[in-house]
Amino acid sequence: MNTTRPPLFAALPVTCVLTFALLSPAAQAQKKGGTLSIGMEAEFSGFNPAKAKIFNQNTITPASSVMETLFVFEGKQIVPRLGLSFAQGDDRLSATVKLRPGVKFHDGTPFDADAVVAHYAWLLAPETGINLSVIAPVKTVEKVDEMTVRFVLKQPWAALQSALASEHLVNFILSPTALKNDPEGFHRKPVGTGPFVFKEWQAGDRIVMERNPDYWDPKLPYLDRLIYRVLPDGNTRYQSIKSGQVDIGRMDTANHVLDAKKDPKLKVHEYQGSGAISWNFNASKEPFNDPRVRAAVVHSFNTKAMLDTFFLGTTVATTDLLGPNSEWFCPKLNWRGYDLAKARALVADVGKPIRFQLVSTNTPAGRRQAGMVQQFVKEVGMEADIRLVEQSQNVRVGLSGDYQMDVWRFSDIVGEPDVALAYYFGGENGAPVSRHDSSKVDAILRKARAETDKAKRKAMYCEVAQIVSDEAYQMIPIRVTYYAIASPKVKNVPPMLNSVIRTRSVWLEQ
């Protein structure tokens, strides 16, 4: 069944998505206690993967506090969580994971091999209806002993551990008891092994969690309580941080970041990852079933104008998919960019009027950004109508295919990029978001999965990146630099991928 996939990390299409950089490494004595209030950009999508279908950043943030994965990325390193070790089989068609002993879910269910096998068996069942692109090469998961499982693969796959470390909805291990007993209730009240226990969700307002007193790491968490506040308006969110009503939050305009940098009562956390602002073209619909139209839009996009006037110098242009801070950066790509002459020539070659609808988020930043794109394409002879949707709904617009061009975000990537490249641009396990012909990409990624030489795999990934640009599958002109604004009392905020606030080791100076 060829169904459209959700974006890899449930990418909310914000214009200046925010995350966090390392604080000063100077030694500080962590303090226990206190409540951390976190300003969120949109409503949460719910926590039963089969019902939610997608975990956006606003959902992954609280999900990562209550549920855990086998492994996780800290910076660029994969570190243990519920899994202690990873060993690939000699035939490269399986891998064994040793599990952390002595862990229990919040409802008292033991975390063991049976729980992990039950989790992935449920996910892999066809009737679940969950998109499995992130773990598509996994055939089954078997119990070896009480605390060991084996992942059996359909083909050799170098990216398996990277995939398992991805905080995607399929990798958060759920309590099999809670899910079986009340799947509807689980959607509103998740049960995991994490450092915080879910308490309540007031729709449109907040999620509340409290410290897990039985967490397997006795040193953590430091905080007693978490409150995730739904504050979609960026000005309201910023003023809430300035006034102390919220301790930390993300902004969607550069003005807030620049203003906060001048305020001694605020701390700005900054991190440039490999993510990027992007726009999807729906290649299954006119006019974007014509690659000349897609390329014309890309060449019409005045990156410098948007960087100077919208982002105010707070981020940079892209030259490839991943960026120079990624070990998978491809510096020699012939990356499509601003070129009015090429854009006008392509429009002339099409030889008929080009008009399309651009979907953007109904926020001040989203409206302004859409207006700039509208002017860019008009300059080369195309017309764009703007359709505004609520930010929390824009991802679902993309999933349904109810768009011609839609603002999006290419996810931050660490570890093997096969996971994201297959998810966004491959089609073996569901139509890519942009609904393009993925045969070229699929063929290269199949070879890369079987390749043991890392340098050769990188060359193949760069080949995929070049195809993305050549075929103009998406418009990816601007690198995301992540920002968060916080009270200085918020300590130990790590460098976060994909704007997700992970609270496991955050503490408050009170």
Side-chain angles (χ1 to χ4, degrees):
M1 182 176 179
N2 197 31
T3 56
T4 302
R5 67 198 63 190
L8 177 56
F9 296 105
L12 273 178
V14 295
T15 53
C16 191
V17 188
L18 311 169
T19 192
F20 317 97
L22 283 170
L23 291 175
S24 167
Q28 292 178 293
Q30 297 93 342
K31 298 178 182 178
K32 288 206 170 189
T35 297
L36 181 72
S37 179
I38 305 165
M40 307 299 293
E41 296 163 300
E43 178 63 290
F44 314 99
S45 58
F47 301 94
N48 181 339
K51 188 174 177 64
K53 305 298 183 186
I54 181 171
F55 280 7
N56 55 39
Q57 274 86 357
N58 288 280
T59 301
I60 293 177
T61 297
S64 66
S65 293
V66 73
M67 297 182 287
E68 296 179 295
T69 53
L70 293 174
F71 303 96
V72 71
F73 280 101
E74 288 186 354
K76 296 180 181 179
Q77 301 299 314
I78 297 176
V79 299
R81 278 294 187 267
L82 295 178
L84 287 179
S85 65
F86 177 93
Q88 190 176 66
D90 292 339
D91 60 1
R92 301 179 59 241
L93 287 172
S94 67
T96 301
V97 175
K98 292 283 187 182
L99 305 177
R100 186 178 296 278
V103 178
K104 288 188 177 182
F105 291 95
H106 300 154
D107 60 359
T109 301
F111 170 77
D112 54 18
D114 290 330
V116 175
V117 168
H119 174 77
Y120 284 101
W122 172 71
L123 290 172
L124 294 168
E127 62 270 18
T128 307
I130 298 173
N131 188 287
L132 299 173
S133 297
V134 170
I135 56 169
V138 174
K139 182 178 180 180
T140 188
V141 181
E142 302 173 343
K143 177 179 178 179
V144 177
D145 58 39
E146 288 302 311
M147 299 308 297
T148 310
V149 296
R150 178 183 297 111
F151 286 81
V152 180
L153 304 176
K154 302 171 187 175
Q155 62 191 82
W157 190 30
L160 175 58
Q161 192 177 17
S162 288
L164 295 178
S166 164
E167 287 183 302
H168 185 271
L169 82 169
V170 301
N171 286 327
F172 286 111
I173 308 295
L174 321 175
S175 164
T177 304
L179 187 64
K180 181 180 179 180
N181 289 346
D182 188 5
E184 287 296 321
F186 195 100
H187 192 59
R188 302 286 304 180
K189 187 177 180 180
V191 180
T193 61
F196 293 92
V197 178
F198 187 94
K199 289 300 179 184
E200 66 173 329
W201 175 3
Q202 298 176 22
D205 181 46
R206 68 186 61 199
I207 278 178
V208 179
M209 296 182 183
E210 294 182 357
R211 185 179 187 274
N212 177 8
D214 301 314
Y215 188 52
W216 54 263
D217 186 338
K219 300 186 300 297
L220 298 174
Y222 299 115
L223 299 167
D224 287 334
R225 203 165 185 249
L226 301 174
I227 301 176
Y228 297 92
R229 294 280 310 281
V230 180
L231 299 169
D233 181 75
N235 287 322
T236 300
R237 195 163 58 253
Y238 182 49
Q239 293 303 322
S240 296
I241 297 168
K242 290 188 72 172
S243 68
Q245 297 177 57
V246 169
D247 298 311
I248 189 167
R250 304 175 292 198
M251 298 300 107
D252 60 1
T253 63
N255 284 329
H256 294 133
V257 173
L258 297 177
D259 183 72
K261 285 184 175 182
K262 301 173 186 176
D263 191 335
K265 296 180 181 179
L266 296 173
K267 172 71 175 177
V268 177
H269 303 282
E270 179 177 343
Y271 173 74
Q272 187 180 114
S274 58
I277 304 294
S278 66
W279 282 260
N280 293 330
F281 301 120
N282 190 334
S284 70
K285 293 184 176 182
E286 292 186 345
F288 295 118
N289 57 347
D290 187 334
R292 295 172 298 179
V293 178
R294 302 195 301 265
V297 173
V298 174
H299 286 308
S300 75
F301 190 95
N302 190 335
T303 303
K304 186 176 186 304
M306 187 167 279
L307 286 172
D308 290 345
T309 64
F310 184 86
F311 289 100
L312 302 177
T314 58
T315 192
V316 298
T318 60
T319 57
D320 80 331
L321 280 177
L322 303 182
N325 288 338
S326 169
E327 64 178 315
W328 306 101
F329 176 54
C330 305
K332 298 180 180 179
L333 293 185
N334 181 21
W335 194 247
R336 285 191 190 272
Y338 182 55
D339 190 322
L340 287 181
K342 284 185 179 179
R344 288 170 177 152
L346 287 162
V347 170
D349 191 49
V350 172
K352 61 181 180 181
I354 301 171
R355 192 181 192 112
F356 59 89
Q357 184 183 79
L358 167 62
V359 178
S360 190
T361 56
N362 191 17
T363 63
R367 293 192 293 270
R368 185 181 172 200
Q369 199 174 47
M372 293 184 74
V373 175
Q374 186 182 52
Q375 291 301 311
F376 293 160
V377 301
K378 186 174 183 178
E379 192 171 351
V380 300
M382 295 181 283
E383 296 292 331
D385 301 313
I386 298 173
R387 172 182 154 209
L388 299 173
V389 300
E390 292 304 312
Q391 183 164 302
S392 60
Q393 295 302 311
N394 191 49
V395 168
R396 298 190 183 278
V397 169
L399 297 184
S400 69
D402 182 24
Y403 72 95
Q404 290 172 295
M405 181 178 173
D406 187 13
V407 67
W408 212 256
R409 185 169 70 86
F410 185 71
S411 296
D412 224 15
I413 297 170
V414 290
E416 292 278 340
D418 169 77
V419 175
L421 297 181
Y423 204 93
Y424 280 100
F425 308 114
E428 290 189 332
N429 300 283
V433 173
S434 299
R435 293 160 172 80
H436 54 261
D437 179 356
S438 63
S439 55
K440 292 180 183 178
V441 171
D442 291 333
I444 296 168
L445 292 179
R446 278 195 297 271
K447 293 180 182 178
R449 288 171 193 141
E451 178 55 63
T452 58
D453 186 286
K454 186 174 180 179
K456 291 180 180 179
R457 286 202 308 278
K458 180 178 179 179
M460 294 178 193
Y461 298 145
C462 290
E463 189 177 352
V464 169
Q466 188 64 67
I467 290 171
V468 169
S469 179
D470 290 347
E471 300 292 337
Y473 289 154
Q474 293 182 8
M475 180 166 70
I476 309 175
I478 294 173
R479 185 70 52 213
V480 174
T481 301
Y482 304 102
Y483 292 95
I485 298 173
S487 163
K489 71 179 182 179
V490 181
K491 302 296 184 181
N492 204 34
V493 179
M496 296 295 174
L497 302 170
N498 292 299
S499 76
V500 176
I501 304 171
R502 297 167 179 88
T503 56
R504 183 173 182 264
S505 57
V506 171
W507 58 279
L508 295 174
E509 188 171 57
Q510 305 192 44

